[in-house]
Amino acid sequence: MSFFPDVPKIAFEGPKCTNPFAFRHYNSAEVVEGKTMTEHFRFAVAYWHTMRGSGSDPFGPGCAVRPWEDGTDSVAMAQKRVQVAFEFMEKLGVPYYCFHDRDVAPEGKTLAESNANLDAVVKVLQGEQDRTGIKLLWGTANLFSNPRFVHGASTSCNADVFAYGAAQVKKALEVTKQLGGENYVFWGGREGYHNLYNTDLKRELDHFAKFLHLAVDHKKKIGFTGPFLIEPKPKEPTTHQYDFDAATCAAFLRGYGLINEFKLNIETNHATLAGHTMMHELTYASINGLLGSIDANRGDELIGWDTDQFPTNLYLTTQVMLVVLNQGGLGAGGFNFDAKVRRESFEPSDLFHAHIGSMDSFAQGLKIAAAIRKDGVMSDFVKTRYGSWDTGIGAGIEAGTEDFSSLEAYMLEKGNAAANVSGRQEMLENLVNRYIG
Ligand code: XUL
Ligand code: CO
């Protein structure tokens, strides 16, 4: 039985094709810079959006047409949904998926019941993974939907909620390991505050770090070897989220002795909510050795919240791929489409159009970024721009052989600094356009 009877297996048909159910650029076996596109991207489908997104918004209920849903939140429905998910991913040709514990299985009345529900669905997930070869890129725990997390999880004022969150992460991590998951993600859903009048900021940050240390201890205890990833986000649902951006996370991880245990999962819409470009966040993470994985999506320039749209902008995908290629890939990470179709795109086929368009956009971004790197003008320009640091006084400063007195003596003798040279931003923007065009 097929849940998407009208959709064929999506094939690569080349840039000229007009078939909306085909790839025009994503050619999984095509080699770019020594790796296939499959290896570059390790694309993943986000279970929460694609399988659980209903299209509900603050003004109205869900309206997505999902013929396989029976209207219950039962374990049987959750198990059936796994079959739907794997048929979708097989037809799309993505090698990975990602989930929260509560996306795949319903929450029970007690923790024990919730764990049993999860185990019952994990059995089916394992079976479908074995049947299709599709793998788990990362798992995570939902510590934000249930009302018990109203004040946060590890940063809650209620110590019992910290304990509940710990138990939930323990189980989600064990299940991720059981399914061969390659990473584990921490997004601090409600780890933040709305108002400092009622918040002990120091205590909350200490508890957050304590929670992560305990998670690292458990990871080592059970022998989970994949990277732990923190996903920065500046606001929403809270006014201030503790994982504000890559720089805040790096400082937090360093300050609490966690820097060697975590990498970052950088998401486009979170970057822009923080007032940064995605390229900034990726670059900041990368230069700190922290770029582990990507949540691929985009926001809306006119809307100030996390719209989680599918990315189709070639400037964005080119910039992302420049950073990823420059650091030699994402290692165990990948590109997870943390993105949802619009409420108006309520038919099952829209799920295909959304993923096809974004995979194609990233494939184009990859080819454009590789061409820019091959051309070398951009990297040569940057190298030359900093040339004064390669010899003479610049090399001395970098090597630590100069001090304020020697620098004063140098400049007193020279009289003035060497003339500056143009930054040529517009020329470089033209260069990018040349390759995008
Ligand atoms: C929320 C968000 C999450 C994380 C996983 O904005 O991005 O879905 O990716 O918890
Ligand atoms: Co995300």
Side-chain angles (χ1 to χ4, degrees), residues 231 267 270 295 338:
E231 185 176 314
E267 176 165 328
H270 297 178
D295 265 12
D338 191 355

Side-chain angles (χ1 to χ4, degrees), residues 393 406-418:
I393 195 75
S406 70
L407 292 174
E408 181 193 45
Y410 165 78
M411 207 32 82
L412 283 173
E413 197 194 327
K414 197 165 178 185
N416 205 345

Side-chain angles (χ1 to χ4, degrees), residues 7-319:
V7 182
K9 168 105 180 89
I10 311 298
F12 171 70
E13 293 185 9
K16 290 202 170 67
C17 99
T18 54
N19 175 5
F21 289 109
F23 293 117
R24 297 193 304 125
H25 300 280
Y26 180 70
N27 183 7
S28 55
E30 185 176 334
V31 173
V32 179
E33 291 202 10
K35 284 198 294 195
T36 64
M37 288 199 183
T38 308
E39 291 164 339
H40 274 290
F41 294 116
R42 298 156 58 80
F43 281 128
V45 165
Y47 208 94
W48 53 102
H49 286 310
T50 295
M51 296 318 300
R52 307 308 309 274
S54 67
S56 68
D57 70 11
F59 303 95
C63 59
V65 176
R66 302 289 182 254
W68 52 85
E69 293 285 333
D70 65 9
T72 69
D73 191 20
S74 63
V75 171
M77 183 60 237
Q79 290 173 323
K80 179 180 176 195
R81 210 179 278 122
V82 172
Q83 317 285 346
V84 182
F86 277 76
E87 182 188 334
F88 175 75
M89 295 188 285
E90 263 193 301
K91 284 195 161 162
L92 191 60
V94 286
Y96 288 99
Y97 69 109
C98 300
F99 68 72
H100 299 83
D101 48 2
R102 303 300 180 242
D103 309 329
V104 289
E107 183 147 13
K109 282 191 205 66
T110 61
L111 180 65
E113 204 181 293
S114 300
N115 287 350
N117 289 352
L118 189 52
D119 286 335
V121 180
V122 162
K123 258 197 214 119
V124 186
L125 287 167
Q126 185 68 66
E128 286 297 279
Q129 286 189 193
D130 294 345
R131 181 182 69 76
T132 61
I134 293 169
K135 295 182 283 187
L136 178 61
L137 184 64
W138 50 261
T140 189
N142 177 332
L143 305 184
F144 43 89
S145 294
N146 189 290
R148 83 172 59 83
F149 298 118
V150 62
H151 299 303
S154 68
T155 64
S156 174
C157 47
N158 179 347
D160 262 12
V161 175
F162 181 111
Y164 197 103
Q168 209 180 309
V169 168
K170 175 179 180 290
K171 179 69 181 173
L173 181 58
E174 287 166 4
V175 158
T176 299
K177 176 172 186 279
Q178 191 185 333
L179 288 169
E182 299 185 23
N183 305 260
Y184 185 86
V185 163
F186 294 80
W187 171 58
R190 292 184 192 274
E191 312 293 29
Y193 65 80
H194 284 289
N195 193 304
L196 284 175
Y197 291 163
N198 66 6
T199 302
D200 187 334
L201 185 59
K202 167 91 171 71
R203 228 168 166 181
E204 292 207 1
L205 289 171
D206 286 351
H207 293 166
F208 192 17
K210 168 66 78 183
F211 192 91
L212 296 178
H213 271 292
L214 295 178
V216 170
D217 291 346
H218 194 67
K219 169 187 177 174
K220 291 181 179 161
K221 189 168 160 190
I222 65 171
F224 180 77
T225 52
F228 267 5
L229 301 167
I230 298 238
E231 185 176 314
K233 183 173 184 180
K235 52 190 150 197
E236 197 202 28
T238 65
T239 308
H240 175 90
Q241 295 272 136
Y242 293 137
D243 299 326
F244 196 93
D245 60 2
T248 308
C249 288
F252 172 85
L253 292 170
R254 275 200 191 95
Y256 282 101
L258 289 158
I259 195 75
N260 296 323
E261 306 293 350
F262 285 83
K263 288 182 186 266
L264 301 179
N265 180 38
I266 301 291
E267 176 165 328
T268 317
N269 207 159
H270 297 178
T272 49
L273 274 179
H276 302 308
T277 62
M278 180 60 164
M279 195 176 189
H280 166 91
E281 282 293 85
L282 292 172
T283 305
Y284 199 94
S286 182
I287 61 168
N288 280 282
L290 293 174
L291 177 54
S293 202
I294 287 176
D295 265 12
N297 65 13
R298 70 174 154 117
D300 183 304
E301 280 169 20
L302 304 178
I303 301 177
W305 68 84
D306 197 12
T307 57
D308 283 343
Q309 289 172 239
F310 276 86
T312 52
N313 181 318
L314 297 186
Y315 290 101
L316 171 66
T317 58
T318 298
Q319 290 166 5

